[in-house]
Amino acid sequence: MLKVLKSGFFTTVQDAGRYGLRDKGVPISGAMDMISAAMANRLLENTPDAALLEITMTGPTLEFEEDTYISLGGAEMSATLNNAPVQNYKVYKVRAGDLLSYGKLERGLRAYLAIKEGFRTPMVLGSRSLFKPLTPHACLSDKSEVPFNASKGFEPKIEELKVPPISEGGALEIFKGPEYEMLTDAHLAALFSKDFTVAKENNRMAYQLEETLVGHHMAMLTSATLPGTMQLTPAGKLIILMKDGQTTGGYPRIAQLSERSISVLAQKKFGDSLSFKLVLTL
């Protein structure tokens, strides 16, 4: 069992997400930065859908009650194991009674803690991802307990990876959305010629941007959306849906972020800048 002594700002259990239920209004959920999460799991030779902890902005203090192996990924948060510094994308052996703590956020926004064989929290509609109201809680709290299977004889094929920070991934790649053609020359010039700033309204549901485009008067029926769908409001506000975002929306869907760009955006915080580049497909 993993004991959560201090939960941090927003620590949650996530995996690869829930699929096949969007027609019933159930979001995909899952790790916001799927690339970093997958690499942390891969070092432990876990399956791609193994559950891990997603740690946002400030990290928890955790006590392991059994022996196991862990790897960290994503944001850099000055993590320590029994007060000794630990680094991202390296396998560490953990013994019963060991303490993992997080300190100052140095780079990025969301960190990942993977454990050998994944965390064993209850499955809900095919996923262990926390998402209230499907699950009793949206995130972990002080004194929470997270089950896992003990592991003592693991010999990793690769013990460490050198991975550049995904938060510095450059311009976000976007594809044309269903309503892309409604954009005027003024819209396009603004979208691709300047930097945007992450607004304070950003979370697992959606990211809003401070800067606006020219408003519009386009009316449309509520239509399907996905994580990474960029919507343009009548007032010119840009909203990018994320992993817990709604499954339908009534604003024009002007663009769709690539999976990598969703991961890069997930590591952006309030005040960070970003830009967009269009990816043309055949």
Side-chain angles (χ1 to χ4, degrees), residues 225-240:
T225 58
L226 293 167
T229 295
M230 182 189 296
Q231 297 178 304
L232 179 64
T233 73
K237 192 80 171 176
L238 289 171
I239 301 173
I240 303 172

Side-chain angles (χ1 to χ4, degrees), residues 7-275:
S7 60
F9 172 69
F10 194 82
T11 301
T12 180
V13 178
Q14 298 295 334
D15 55 19
R18 290 181 182 87
Y19 290 87
L21 298 168
R22 292 185 65 79
D23 61 330
K24 297 174 178 61
V26 178
I28 291 174
S29 296
M32 288 273 279
D33 176 0
M34 193 62 74
I35 293 176
S36 296
M39 285 191 291
N41 265 329
R42 192 174 300 132
L43 273 171
L44 297 171
E45 299 169 29
N46 290 342
T47 59
D49 60 347
L52 35 59
L53 296 192
E54 181 177 272
I55 299 160
T56 303
M57 196 161 64
T58 61
T61 300
L62 307 168
E63 180 181 355
F64 296 84
E65 293 189 323
E66 298 176 273
D67 293 2
T68 188
Y69 297 81
I70 62 170
S71 64
L72 282 60
E76 297 174 10
M77 293 186 180
S78 308
T80 61
L81 184 62
N82 299 326
N83 295 319
V86 294
Q87 64 190 57
N88 279 358
Y89 306 113
K90 183 175 180 179
V91 177
Y92 290 91
K93 184 175 183 177
V94 173
R95 300 185 185 279
D98 283 356
L99 291 177
L100 179 67
S101 302
Y102 289 81
K104 180 181 177 182
L105 177 65
E106 297 179 346
R107 181 183 286 135
L109 181 62
R110 291 178 170 87
Y112 293 91
L113 168 62
I115 196 165
K116 182 61 180 169
E117 297 184 18
F119 290 102
R120 313 304 293 179
T121 51
M123 297 282 284
V124 179
L125 297 179
S127 171
R128 303 184 196 276
S129 293
L130 293 184
F131 175 74
K132 195 174 181 179
L134 289 182
T135 58
H137 307 285
C139 60
L140 301 180
S141 59
D142 294 356
K143 300 183 180 179
S144 294
E145 294 186 337
V146 188
F148 66 87
N149 294 332
S151 179
K152 295 185 177 182
F154 177 53
E155 297 182 2
K157 296 182 178 68
I158 300 174
E159 294 187 355
E160 184 177 353
L161 292 173
K162 298 297 183 183
V163 179
I166 196 167
S167 57
E168 301 173 3
L172 301 185
E173 296 179 337
I174 60 175
F175 301 93
K176 292 181 179 180
E179 286 75 52
Y180 179 87
E181 300 304 328
M182 66 152 281
L183 297 177
T184 65
D185 290 343
H187 286 128
L188 295 172
L191 185 61
F192 295 114
S193 66
K194 67 178 183 181
D195 288 345
F196 292 84
T197 308
V198 175
K200 65 179 182 297
E201 298 86 1
N202 70 86
N203 53 35
R204 284 187 51 86
M205 292 184 66
Y207 268 57
Q208 295 189 33
L209 304 181
E210 292 281 7
E211 295 78 10
T212 60
L213 303 185
V214 177
H216 66 87
H217 302 285
M218 179 181 177
M220 58 175 284
L221 296 174
T222 297
S223 302
T225 58
L226 293 167
T229 295
M230 182 189 296
Q231 297 178 304
L232 179 64
T233 73
K237 192 80 171 176
L238 289 171
I239 301 173
I240 303 172
L241 302 182
M242 299 299 277
K243 292 301 182 74
D244 286 348
Q246 72 267 20
T247 60
T248 61
Y251 297 138
R253 302 156 298 175
I254 63 170
Q256 180 69 38
L257 271 64
S258 68
E259 187 62 43
R260 177 174 179 81
S261 291
I262 294 172
S263 290
V264 174
L265 181 58
Q267 295 295 351
K268 301 286 187 181
K269 57 187 179 298
F270 171 51
D272 284 352
S273 63
L274 55 88
S275 60

